[in-house]
Amino acid sequence: MKPFTYARPSSAAEAIGAFSAAGAGARYIAGGTSLYDLMKLDIERPQHLIDVTGIAGLDRVETAGDQLRFGALVPMSVAAGDETLLRDYPLLAEALWKAASQQLRNMATVGGNLFQRTRCMYFRNGNGNLSTVGAAPCNKREPGAGCAAIGGLDRGQAVLGQSASCNAVSPGDWPVALTAMDAAVELLGPDGPRTAPVAGLYRLPGATPHLEFALKPGEIVTAITVPKTPAGRRSTYHKIRDRESYAFALASAAVALEMEGDRVASARIALGGVATRPWRASAAERMLVGRRIDADSSMEAGRAALAGARAGRHNGFKIELAARTVADALLIAARRTA
Ligand code: SF4
């Protein structure tokens, strides 16, 4: 780990000022569950850490009114246990409590979790110290170096949204559920406040996989908002992984349904574990409108959600797995009462 300076401002304005003053090499940090890890692996080398956990007023979940509002510093474990989420938006609660371990959820924040970096093992093995792969080129770590994952050990890599430069999976669960729910972030930066859709935070890798998030320099997330919808109650976050806890998704589906009688009035579907960013499955959503949710229609939607998927050497199983994950999620959500 390289030496760095550390500051803990007490207001957002102070934090943004400290970031601007520090210049290149400054990074915000909250729970630190991802950044410290990458610093220890010598992947991240910030020169100045600006700890935002001292900023007052960003630690509340607000459920009154026409939207849910999560202060960016709410611990994931606190949001996961919120009674309104558990009752009215189970996909949000499930996406949170199926992530990481309880200790990590206690430290990690709902704002910081939006910016978790990929688990691609080649990316994380910059110094060659991790067991299986040795030091290997990675365009995300070192632009222009090449990509060892393409044509390499790619069992965990993306089948949607990949490019000739990178096929790393976007690792989050919470961003997938937020994408399905049309959530937005409130941002504050040197140019003032703005809002942006959560889905718009994530860039496709294209030829620049090192540019992952659509943030302006110095911006911080202050809150996440989710429009209220009756679809919240008939929802689920279904996560399939190699072991049942403390593992990243091989495939996941965030699903919410609004029904008229036994027919779908509207559907929301987003995929995790298979794409280079949280992946909204709009065609699958549209094809379900007016249909009953049964074994046939849910599987049809699952296949539509994976339209255009392309496998590498070892990850072809993900296409069928993800289609079935969507189908299962739809059946689970449909059984829930509004
Ligand atoms: Fe790096 Fe992306 Fe290739 Fe992984 S898939 S080695 S993150 S460029």
Side-chain angles (χ1 to χ4, degrees), residues 124-143:
R124 290 174 61 81
N125 200 26
N127 54 18
N129 285 342
L130 296 181
S131 56
T132 44
V133 292
C138 170
N139 287 321
K140 196 181 283 293
R141 230 180 31 235
E142 192 186 338

Side-chain angles (χ1 to χ4, degrees), residues 8-19 50:
R8 191 168 184 265
S10 56
S11 73
E14 211 183 308
I16 292 162
F19 190 100
I50 296 155

Side-chain angles (χ1 to χ4, degrees), residues 58-120:
L58 304 186
D59 57 354
R60 286 192 291 276
V61 179
E62 297 165 48
T63 56
D66 58 359
Q67 63 179 11
L68 308 171
R69 190 169 186 282
F70 302 88
L73 294 178
V74 173
M76 290 173 71
S77 57
V78 170
D82 183 89
E83 281 182 14
T84 302
L85 258 59
L86 289 166
R87 185 188 61 233
D88 295 339
Y89 299 89
L91 88 166
L92 296 178
E94 289 167 6
L96 288 161
W97 69 254
K98 289 181 180 180
S101 64
Q102 184 65 15
Q103 291 90 340
L104 286 167
R105 291 190 293 270
N106 288 340
M107 285 298 295
T109 63
V110 296
N113 187 251
L114 298 176
F115 304 104
Q116 191 181 181
R117 301 194 72 191
T118 185
R119 305 300 295 190
C120 171

Side-chain angles (χ1 to χ4, degrees), residues 118-124 136-142 146-150 157 165-169 205 209 212:
T118 185
R119 305 300 295 190
C120 171
M121 61 184 173
Y122 296 103
F123 168 73
R124 290 174 61 81
C138 170
N139 287 321
K140 196 181 283 293
R141 230 180 31 235
E142 192 186 338
C147 172
I150 295 174
Q157 303 299 109
S165 299
C166 179
N167 62 7
V169 160
E212 294 172 295

